[in-house]
Amino acid sequence: MTGSCQDPKLPLDVPTPVQPGTEIDLGRLTEALRETDTGLEPPFRLHQYPRGFSWLTYRVTDGRGRRCVLRTPPRGVHIARAHDPAREHRILSGLKPVYPLVPRALACRTDANPLGTPFLLMEQVNGAILRANPDTAPDAASMRTIGHSLVANLVRLHGLDLRVTDLADLGYPDGFVLRQVRGWQGRYAAARTENTPDSADIAAWLEDNLPASPAPTLIHNDYKHDNLVLAPEPPHELRAVLDWEMATRGDPLMDLGSSLAYWVTADDPPAMRELQHSPTYLPGNPTRAEVVEQYAAQSGRAVDDIVFYFVFGNLKLAAILQQLYRRWADGLTREARYERLHTEVATCLQTARQAMQLGRIDSLYTV
């Protein structure tokens, strides 16, 4: 299926001027890049991709007009095992020979360097990124095609043979599911503020209902629309998958469950639609149940325990949002978009409880 003649060309994802409080000294940047073997030449110009909540991400343009992407950890945030540019550099480098839809890693520094912070430098992949509330959206036919392509690519990722890469020892798949449940519950508890609810009952339910996991595979761990680069022209083929910092080996259905937590649809109630971290509510998108059906058909994996994985995905998303909200509460950021994240945390936890009670992942707020 291709886009219709009315299907618009999507705008390229372009950066903006660097936001106050996230500036980088161009002199230090020049010194840091001079120490790499990328061949980039000063003078450098810097713009910022401001939409993400985690890394600070910039576009670097060198004196000859060549462009690449610079990622650095957020300032004042120290979360164990998060924001590790060396790990992401290793994953990108290891995947590129067997999975070309990743940016090429160019350089990485984690030691003392002129920039004063660890950083990852990678190629820029030109294209469109679909986020919530896009100014220009594909028509319903293309939106459905994009949704099916997203699921098919997730199946592809879960089918990669890491034994032929340098990533065969990535992560610790034994005991992965229980460790993830306890880990994300612990992160939520550590970041919890007085205005956010407890999640201990959800974590306890998950521990009481641990499924028998399929064989471990590569998992992206943050697979959603705004981590995908699409061709601007219909039918908007996938050009790259971004943001590999949490990738590991583990239960592939944990990856699917995490994606489903972002998959808010048009018939979900307002409290869920307010999350809008992805454009999955737009006309044409598959439902969560249809996503699961396609994944099962194409992967051959049983999905009988999908409620467990959906509940986990919502606990994990609640913990991620709560960590971000805690940054605002502690005064580490003053961006207005962080201020309301605590309401989204409550919605994630309520959605998890509805799925637990009803035993399904769709129609959670209807009889």
Side-chain angles (χ1 to χ4, degrees):
M1 182 184 296
T2 61
S4 71
C5 59
Q6 289 80 31
D7 193 20
K9 180 178 179 179
L10 301 178
L12 291 174
D13 191 53
V14 295
T16 64
V18 176
Q19 304 294 302
T22 63
E23 299 89 350
I24 287 180
D25 182 275
L26 288 179
R28 291 186 175 185
L29 176 64
T30 299
E31 291 183 41
L33 295 183
R34 187 176 288 123
E35 293 181 0
T36 69
D37 59 359
T38 58
L40 295 171
E41 299 176 6
F44 296 107
R45 289 177 288 134
L46 204 63
H47 294 80
Q48 186 175 15
Y49 294 98
R51 298 291 295 272
F53 281 100
S54 183
W55 291 75
L56 297 176
T57 305
Y58 307 87
R59 187 184 72 188
V60 178
T61 306
D62 83 346
R64 295 173 59 187
R66 293 173 294 184
R67 292 173 173 175
C68 58
V69 173
L70 174 74
R71 280 160 64 85
T72 71
R75 291 158 194 189
V77 178
H78 304 285
I79 300 173
R81 297 186 179 180
H83 311 119
D84 182 351
R87 190 173 190 277
E88 185 160 13
H89 183 277
R90 179 198 174 197
I91 292 169
L92 293 177
S93 300
L95 282 179
K96 192 66 173 176
V98 297
Y99 181 73
L101 299 180
V102 295
R104 184 166 57 94
L106 302 176
C108 175
R109 291 290 297 271
T110 57
D111 55 355
N113 69 82
L115 196 58
T117 184
F119 68 86
L120 170 66
L121 198 70
M122 59 188 180
E123 72 171 336
Q124 176 181 285
V125 180
N126 291 319
I129 295 180
L130 270 181
R131 298 183 173 90
N133 302 313
D135 294 330
T136 303
D139 65 14
S142 280
M143 202 70 242
R144 192 161 190 84
T145 298
I146 291 168
H148 288 319
S149 175
L150 181 151
V151 178
N153 186 65
L154 185 64
V155 173
R156 178 184 178 184
L157 289 178
H158 293 168
L160 292 176
D161 185 359
L162 295 186
R163 293 173 298 179
V164 301
T165 73
D166 295 330
L167 303 173
D169 61 346
L170 183 68
Y172 305 95
D174 291 342
F176 178 78
V177 173
L178 179 59
R179 192 167 63 250
Q180 286 287 296
V181 170
R182 291 178 175 175
W184 285 109
Q185 168 61 13
R187 294 181 192 100
Y188 180 80
R192 189 181 169 201
T193 47
E194 292 183 357
N195 56 349
T196 49
D198 189 13
S199 60
D201 61 312
I202 298 172
W205 183 91
L206 289 168
E207 290 205 29
D208 289 342
N209 290 274
L210 290 174
S213 293
T217 70
L218 172 72
I219 61 176
H220 180 277
N221 245 342
D222 197 23
Y223 188 78
K224 51 193 174 75
H225 280 77
D226 63 3
N227 279 330
L228 307 180
V229 181
L230 307 175
E233 302 80 9
H236 312 296
E237 291 97 343
L238 180 61
R239 288 184 173 177
V241 180
L242 308 177
D243 204 357
W244 290 85
E245 66 169 303
M246 293 197 294
T248 189
R249 287 182 304 145
D251 184 336
L253 297 180
M254 295 287 268
D255 216 8
L256 178 61
S258 296
S259 295
L260 290 171
Y262 288 102
W263 204 281
V264 177
T265 56
D267 60 350
D268 283 327
M272 289 184 68
R273 292 200 303 270
E274 286 175 5
L275 292 174
Q276 290 190 355
H277 293 290
S278 290
T280 50
Y281 60 90
L282 293 174
N285 272 289
T287 66
R288 288 187 291 271
E290 288 173 332
V291 167
V292 173
E293 181 180 6
Q294 179 189 345
Y295 180 88
Q298 294 184 348
S299 70
R301 296 185 180 90
V303 292
D304 299 339
D305 295 306
I306 195 59
V307 171
F308 170 92
Y309 295 103
F310 180 66
V311 170
F312 166 77
N314 276 276
L315 174 63
K316 175 182 172 181
L317 180 54
I320 291 170
L321 295 172
Q322 182 61 32
Q323 288 177 323
L324 295 169
Y325 176 72
R326 184 63 181 265
R327 286 172 57 188
W328 182 88
D330 289 347
L332 296 175
T333 181
R334 292 271 62 98
E335 290 188 61
R337 60 188 180 137
Y338 286 76
E339 185 175 359
R340 61 179 294 273
L341 291 179
H342 66 288
T343 63
E344 299 186 8
V345 169
T347 297
C348 289
L349 297 181
Q350 180 58 29
T351 299
R353 292 188 177 98
Q354 289 292 108
M356 289 159 51
Q357 179 181 349
L358 298 174
R360 60 182 186 241
I361 65 172
D362 275 333
S363 303
L364 295 175
Y365 293 85
T366 59
V367 177

